Amino acid sequence: MQFKEFLKTENVYLDGGMGTILQSRGLGAGEYPELWNITHPKEIIAVHKAYFDAGSNVVCTNTFGANTLKFSENELETIIKSALENAKIAREQSISPQEKFIALDIGPLGKLLRPLGDLAFEDAVQIFAKTVQLGVKYGAELVVIETMNDAYETKSALLAVKENCDLPVLVSNAYGADEKLMTGATPQAMVALLEGMGADAIGANCSLGPKQLKGVVEKLLQKSSVPVLLKPNAGIPKIVDGETVFPLSVQEFTDEMSAFMQMGVRVVGGCCGTTPAYIQSLIKKTKDYAPVPLTDKNITVVSSYTHAVEFGAKPLLIGERINPTGKKRLKQALKDKDISYILSEGVGQRDKGAHILDVNVGLPELDEVQALQNTVQELQAVINLPLQIDTANIQAMERALRVYNGKALINSVSGKKESMDAVFPLVKKYGGVVVALTLDESGIPQNAGGRVAIAEKILDRAKVYGISKKDIIFDTLAMTVSADTSSAQTTLQALSHIKKELGCHTSLGVSNISFGLPNRDILNATFFALALENGLSCAIMNPYSTEMLKTYYAYNALHNLDENCAEYIQNAPTLITQESAVAVPNTTVAQATTRSPLRESIIKGFKDDAKKYARAMLQEIEPLALINEEIIPALNEMGEAFENKRAFLPQLLMSAEASKVAFEEVKGVLSGKDNAVKKAKFVLATVQGDIHDIGKNIVKLLLENYGFEVLDLGKDVSPERVVETVERERAPLVGLSALMTTTLPAMEETIKLLREKTPWCKIVVGGAVLTEEYAQKIGADKYAKDAMETVRYAEELQEII
C-alpha cells in the first residue's frame, strides 16, 4: 500500500525519540548523531527495529540535521545513503505485521532567513533540496519536516520537497508555551500556509509535553482539512541526580495521547524522551480506535508570517494605497526606490484598520519582477499584515508568491483561458486565495447573468487544477456610474448571486464606482454600504477615507458583527479628528504624537529614515544624549510591546536593525573620542554539538544595540573555548544557547567548567528545550525565555558591575 492511501484511511503511528536514545547508548556531548549512521550502524538499526517491533507504521531516518551547512556534499550523501539503508535493514528484520514506511527526516537549518537573519530564502530552498534529492535517490517513501520554529523556513523546506519529488510530506512545527512559533506564527497561520502548499499532514512536535500542546492541537483540528499530527516530548526535561530526564511516564503519555486521538488527531508519535515502550503502549491502547473522519473546513483564508485572516466572519478592508494608479507621489517613490515612503504607506494603512494590503508596483519604466519582489519583502520586514499580490505580470506574480511569507491574496485571474492557465498553476504550487474578475475574451458582460456565467466557468476551470472554490474570491467589477447609471445595480446583482447561490466570497474595488464625479467619498461610502448588504466579503478601499470607515464600523455594529459595539466606540473619535496612534499596536495617540521622527522610525523599523534623522539630530544634540534620550527609549518601547505580545519577533528585530543604523551615525561622531560609553563584555555561544544559532544571534543584535560589547563565539563551541575567552577578556557575562536535547549535557559541562575557572561571571541560558527549573539545576544564574529578557538581565547587572 502507498503511504498516501494508508494516511487517508488509518490512524498512523510514527516512531519516538532518537537523539535521547542515542545519548543513553553513548552519543557524546558535541557528537553529531547523524554520523552514527556510518560509525554505529548497528545501534541505529536496533533503534529503528525497536520502533517497528513496537508497532510504528513510520520510522524517520536519523537525518534530522543532515544538510550541507553541517556536512560536505560527499559526507551528506554517505550519511543519507547509510541512514536509509539502516532503516530498510531494520524493516526487513522486524517481524511485526503492520504496514511499515520509511521517512526522510528533515529538521531546521539553525539559521534565520533574511531579513531577520543572513540566509537567503533561495539558499535555504537549495540546501533542503540537496537533502531531498538524496533521500529520493536512496529510497525514502515519504518526507517528514519537523521541529521548525519559523514559518519562512518551513515554507522553504516544503517548497524544496514539492519541487524535487512527489513523495507525501508531513510537516510539523515546534510551538512555544504561548502557542506560537518563535517568529510569531499561530497554528491557524501555519494551517493556511501548509495546507495551501499541499502538505499531506500538519502538526506539532517537540518543545513541550502533550498537555502543554493542547491549545495548539485544538486550533489545528479546528482549522485543518488534512490529518493533524502530534509528536510531543515526554514532558519538559528535568535534572535528576545529575541526569537529564523527561518526567512523563509511559502510562501518562499513553493516556494523554489517546485523548488527543479521540479528539481527531490521526498521526501520532513521540519526540524527545520517548522510547519504543511509549509507542508500544500507545498502540496497545488505541489500536481499535477508528480514525476520526476528516472534514473540509471550507475556510477561505490568507495569512502573513504571524496570523491568519479569514473571510466570512465580517467584512475585510484591503488597503489600496500601494498602487501607482492616480498617485503621483507613489509613482515617484517607486522610480526613486524610496522604500521609506512605501513602507510609511503600508504602516499608515495598517494603523487605520486595514486587514490586508494591496501591493501593485506596475509602472512601464520599472523592472516589475524585481520591484514587486523587493517591495513584498520590504513590507513583510516591518508589517505583519497579509498582502494582496496585485499584478498582471505572471513572472512578477510567481516571484512575489515564491518569496512571500504566508498564504497570499492574489489579484487576479479572469475568465480568459490564457489567464486561468497561467495563474492557476501558481495558486496550486504556492498556495493562495485568488481574486477572479468576471470578464473573459468577450469583455465585461453588461448584465449580471453574464458575469455569473463567467464565474461558473472560472470555478469549473479551477477544479481541473485542483483548486477549491474556497480559494477563489469573485470581483464583479464596479464600473463608474458616470458612464452608465445602471452599472452599480448590475455589479450588485451579480455579487449577490455569486455570494448566495454559488457560495463564494466577493471583492470589489469600491472607489471605481465614482470615477469622474465630484465628492467621490459620498458615492463610495453609499455604494460600499449597498455592497455590504448584498454580501461583499472584502473591499479594496482607501483606509484614510473617513466616510468609508464610518460606513464600515456602523455596518458592523448594526449587523451584530461588533460585540458591544467595541470597535465602533474605539474608532469613533478618530473618525472625527482623523488622528490615530501609529507603529506599536495599542499605543495611545499621546504617545505617538510626542515621539521624535527618529524614535518613530526606529519603532517602525525604517532603517533609511533612522539614518537620516539620526544624522540630522546629531547637528543639534550631543551623541550620548541621542543614545539615551532617543535610541534606547525607542528600543525599550518596542521591547515592552514584544514582551506584552503586542509586537512580534520580526518587528522587534527590524526595530533593532533601525536602531543599529542610528548607532552607526553616533559612532561616526564619537570615533576617536573618549566619551563613548561602553557597557560590559558579554560572551555568547551555542554549545558544543549544536549548530542552531538563531536565538544567539537575536540576543547578539539586541545586546549590541543596548551598548554591550558582545564577543560572539558562534555555534558548536567547546566548553574550553568559552572558558578561555571569559578568562582572557575578564567578561562578567556569558550567554549559552541550545536547541537540541542532545546538547544539554554540553551546556551543563560548560557551566561546570565556568564555575570552576571563572567564578566571577554570571551565566544566562536559553533555548527551546530549557526551563527555569532545568537552568537552576545545571547551575545557571538566569534562564531567559527570550532575547529581551536577556537584555533586561544584562541591564540590571550593568548597574552593579
Side-chain angles (χ1 to χ4, degrees):
M1 180 182 288
Q2 296 295 310
F3 179 76
K4 277 193 177 182
E5 294 304 312
F6 187 76
L7 180 63
K8 289 178 183 178
T9 60
E10 305 293 332
N11 287 324
V12 177
Y13 296 99
L14 306 177
D15 56 9
M18 172 62 80
T20 46
I21 292 179
L22 296 186
Q23 280 182 311
S24 70
R25 295 185 177 217
L27 180 72
E31 191 176 1
Y32 291 150
E34 296 81 11
L35 289 174
W36 273 41
N37 289 304
I38 304 166
T39 60
H40 297 73
K42 290 182 179 179
E43 296 287 354
I44 302 301
I45 292 167
V47 175
H48 289 329
K49 180 179 180 297
Y51 279 120
F52 276 134
D53 289 346
S56 292
N57 300 117
V58 177
V59 157
C60 295
T61 55
N62 180 34
T63 53
F64 179 82
N67 58 68
T68 53
L69 289 180
K70 196 171 176 180
F71 303 103
S72 70
E73 290 195 20
N74 288 337
E75 286 176 321
L76 181 65
E77 180 159 8
T78 303
I79 286 169
I80 292 177
K81 179 182 180 182
S82 300
L84 281 156
E85 286 175 351
N86 293 337
K88 290 174 185 177
I89 292 170
R91 179 166 61 183
E92 291 168 3
Q93 292 180 353
S94 174
I95 60 172
S96 58
Q98 80 279 6
E99 292 281 351
K100 303 184 190 77
F101 304 93
I102 296 171
L104 175 70
D105 192 47
I106 295 178
L109 300 176
K111 284 181 171 289
L112 274 176
L113 275 61
R114 293 175 187 165
L116 306 181
D118 58 4
L119 183 63
F121 178 79
E122 289 299 339
D123 288 344
V125 173
Q126 290 307 308
I127 292 167
F128 285 123
K130 288 177 182 176
T131 299
V132 173
Q133 289 161 4
L134 290 170
V136 173
K137 179 178 179 180
Y138 291 108
E141 294 156 349
L142 67 146
V143 178
V144 172
I145 299 169
E146 63 174 338
T147 325
M148 295 286 175
N149 56 17
D150 172 49
Y152 209 23
E153 184 179 17
T154 309
K155 175 176 178 174
S156 70
L158 181 53
L159 189 59
V161 174
K162 289 292 184 179
E163 289 185 334
N164 288 278
C165 70
D166 58 0
L167 296 178
V169 55
L170 318 183
V171 185
S172 181
N173 292 99
Y175 292 89
D178 61 354
E179 300 183 359
K180 295 182 177 69
L181 302 191
M182 181 186 69
T183 46
T186 63
Q188 297 93 321
M190 294 311 298
V191 170
L193 169 64
L194 299 174
E195 193 172 307
M197 289 184 67
D200 294 287
I202 298 167
N205 79 291
C206 205
S207 298
L208 302 167
K211 278 185 179 178
Q212 291 83 10
L213 286 169
K214 183 178 180 182
V216 171
V217 173
E218 289 174 340
K219 292 176 176 65
L220 292 172
L221 288 170
Q222 182 183 20
K223 303 299 180 183
S224 178
S225 299
V226 301
V228 169
L229 175 159
L230 180 60
K231 198 178 179 188
N233 292 344
I236 298 172
K238 298 180 179 181
I239 294 288
V240 177
D241 297 328
E243 297 290 329
T244 302
V245 299
F246 289 81
L248 221 56
S249 70
V250 170
Q251 190 59 52
E252 289 170 329
F253 183 86
T254 297
D255 291 343
E256 292 178 20
M257 289 296 289
S258 61
F260 282 121
M261 292 180 70
Q262 290 175 323
M263 289 168 55
V265 175
R266 292 174 49 132
V267 184
V268 293
C271 203
C272 302
T274 61
T275 66
Y278 285 75
I279 304 303
Q280 185 176 38
S281 175
L282 176 60
I283 294 171
K284 182 178 180 181
K285 180 169 182 175
T286 63
K287 58 181 171 47
D288 294 326
Y289 285 15
V292 175
L294 295 172
T295 58
D296 186 346
K297 303 305 189 298
N298 196 32
I299 299 170
T300 300
V301 59
V302 295
S303 67
S304 67
Y305 56 84
T306 59
H307 67 283
V309 173
E310 291 185 17
F311 293 77
K314 67 178 182 180
L316 300 176
L317 303 179
I318 302 174
E320 69 178 11
R321 292 185 59 82
I322 305 178
N323 185 323
T325 304
K327 301 180 184 71
K328 291 182 180 179
R329 179 66 185 87
L330 183 65
K331 284 182 180 179
Q332 196 60 46
L334 288 169
K335 292 176 184 177
D336 297 342
K337 298 183 179 179
D338 181 2
I339 195 63
S340 292
Y341 179 80
I342 297 168
L343 294 180
S344 68
E345 283 287 3
V347 169
Q349 292 181 96
R350 178 199 68 189
D351 295 334
K352 293 299 291 181
H355 305 101
I356 299 167
L357 299 182
D358 182 73
V359 184
N360 183 312
V361 297
L363 288 176
E365 56 268 51
L366 289 185
D367 176 356
E368 188 179 355
V369 175
Q370 192 62 51
L372 187 58
Q373 174 183 318
N374 292 346
T375 303
V376 165
Q377 290 179 312
E378 292 283 357
L379 282 166
Q380 286 208 293
V382 299
I383 300 169
N384 71 328
L385 293 185
L387 302 181
Q388 175 171 269
I389 309 300
D390 186 355
T391 180
N393 183 318
I394 296 300
Q395 286 182 304
M397 182 182 290
E398 174 157 23
R399 183 80 68 86
L401 287 173
R402 189 172 181 86
V403 301
Y404 180 74
N405 191 356
K407 181 181 181 183
L409 186 58
I410 304 164
N411 192 10
S412 56
V413 71
S414 73
K416 296 179 180 179
K417 185 177 184 302
E418 180 183 14
S419 173
M420 292 186 284
D421 290 345
V423 174
F424 283 152
L426 301 183
V427 177
K428 184 64 176 176
K429 178 176 181 178
Y430 297 106
V433 174
V434 64
V435 175
L437 309 181
T438 52
L439 62 86
D440 61 11
E441 289 84 356
S442 300
I444 302 173
Q446 296 301 304
N447 57 71
R451 298 184 196 185
V452 170
I454 291 175
E456 292 172 336
K457 177 173 70 172
I458 291 172
L459 289 175
D460 288 341
R461 189 62 180 167
K463 286 181 184 177
V464 174
Y465 288 93
I467 298 169
S468 167
K469 71 177 184 180
K470 68 183 179 184
D471 286 325
I472 300 176
I473 294 177
F474 285 99
D475 184 337
T476 55
L477 302 170
M479 311 293 288
T480 178
V481 291
S482 65
D484 178 2
T485 53
S486 68
S487 65
Q489 288 301 305
T490 300
T491 298
L492 295 175
Q493 288 166 10
L495 185 147
S496 177
H497 186 96
I498 288 171
K499 185 65 176 288
K500 295 174 182 176
E501 303 301 325
L502 300 187
C504 296
H505 288 290
T506 57
S507 175
L508 283 176
V510 175
S511 61
N512 293 339
I513 204 72
S514 63
F515 186 77
L517 294 170
N519 299 319
R520 295 183 64 186
D521 262 3
I522 298 173
L523 279 172
N524 292 345
T526 303
F527 180 65
F528 186 26
L530 293 172
L532 290 170
E533 283 292 348
N534 279 274
L536 182 66
S537 305
C538 59
I540 303 174
M541 47 79 73
N542 178 7
Y544 291 96
S545 168
T546 302
E547 295 303 316
M548 292 284 283
L549 292 179
K550 284 178 180 177
T551 296
Y552 179 73
Y553 290 116
Y555 175 88
N556 287 341
L558 294 170
H559 283 74
N560 195 29
L561 300 174
D562 182 5
E563 188 174 358
N564 298 322
C565 299
E567 288 189 349
Y568 180 83
I569 293 169
Q570 178 185 345
N571 288 280
T574 66
L575 297 179
I576 298 171
T577 65
Q578 283 293 288
E579 291 180 327
S580 67
V582 296
V584 179
N586 298 334
T587 301
T588 65
V589 173
Q591 280 179 304
T593 55
T594 57
R595 294 194 199 113
S596 70
L598 174 58
R599 192 183 300 190
E600 189 80 359
S601 63
I602 290 173
I603 287 171
K604 291 178 178 178
F606 291 0
K607 291 185 287 186
D608 291 346
D609 283 357
K611 180 177 182 178
K612 177 178 67 177
Y613 291 128
R615 183 173 294 177
M617 292 182 75
L618 285 168
Q619 303 298 316
E620 302 174 4
I621 65 174
E622 290 296 316
L624 295 184
L626 189 72
I627 292 173
N628 295 324
E629 296 171 15
E630 297 292 339
I631 298 175
I632 295 299
L635 281 171
N636 282 336
E637 187 172 341
M638 179 53 78
E640 289 169 8
F642 173 75
E643 291 167 329
N644 293 317
K645 310 299 183 185
R646 292 185 284 109
F648 299 97
L649 181 62
Q651 293 163 294
L652 177 68
L653 293 183
M654 295 315 296
S655 178
E657 289 286 358
S659 72
K660 187 176 181 180
V661 171
F663 265 121
E664 290 302 318
E665 293 298 314
V666 174
K667 287 179 183 177
V669 174
L670 289 176
S671 179
K673 297 184 179 181
D674 295 330
N675 60 344
V677 174
K678 291 184 179 179
K679 292 183 179 177
K681 292 180 179 179
F682 200 124
V683 175
L684 283 178
T686 299
V687 299
Q688 189 169 42
D690 204 320
I691 65 162
H692 302 88
D693 59 358
I694 292 174
K696 173 187 66 64
N697 291 343
I698 294 168
V699 171
K700 175 186 177 183
L701 176 62
L702 293 179
L703 284 172
E704 287 178 337
N705 284 331
Y706 273 82
F708 290 90
E709 186 179 349
V710 178
L711 303 170
D712 181 8
L713 302 184
K715 57 195 177 185
D716 190 16
V717 182
S718 70
E720 292 77 15
R721 187 176 169 212
V722 174
V723 171
E724 176 191 339
T725 305
V726 175
E727 282 185 309
R728 184 181 68 248
E729 301 291 339
R730 294 293 297 180
L733 293 163
V734 177
L736 301 175
S737 173
L739 176 73
M740 300 162 58
T741 54
T742 53
T743 59
L744 288 178
M747 178 176 282
E748 185 177 4
E749 184 181 338
T750 303
I751 292 174
K752 183 179 178 181
L753 198 59
L754 283 167
R755 291 297 183 219
E756 179 185 336
K757 302 290 187 181
T758 60
W760 67 82
C761 74
K762 296 292 185 182
I763 304 169
V764 190
V765 297
V769 293
L770 288 166
T771 64
E772 187 164 2
E773 179 186 1
Y774 192 98
Q776 289 174 354
K777 287 190 176 181
I778 62 176
D781 295 294
K782 173 70 176 177
Y783 162 70
K785 69 179 186 297
D786 56 44
M788 276 309 302
E789 191 165 345
T790 303
V791 171
R792 302 294 188 215
Y793 180 66
E795 287 278 85
E796 290 173 10
L797 291 180
Q798 178 65 30
E799 299 297 323
I800 59 175
I801 291 173

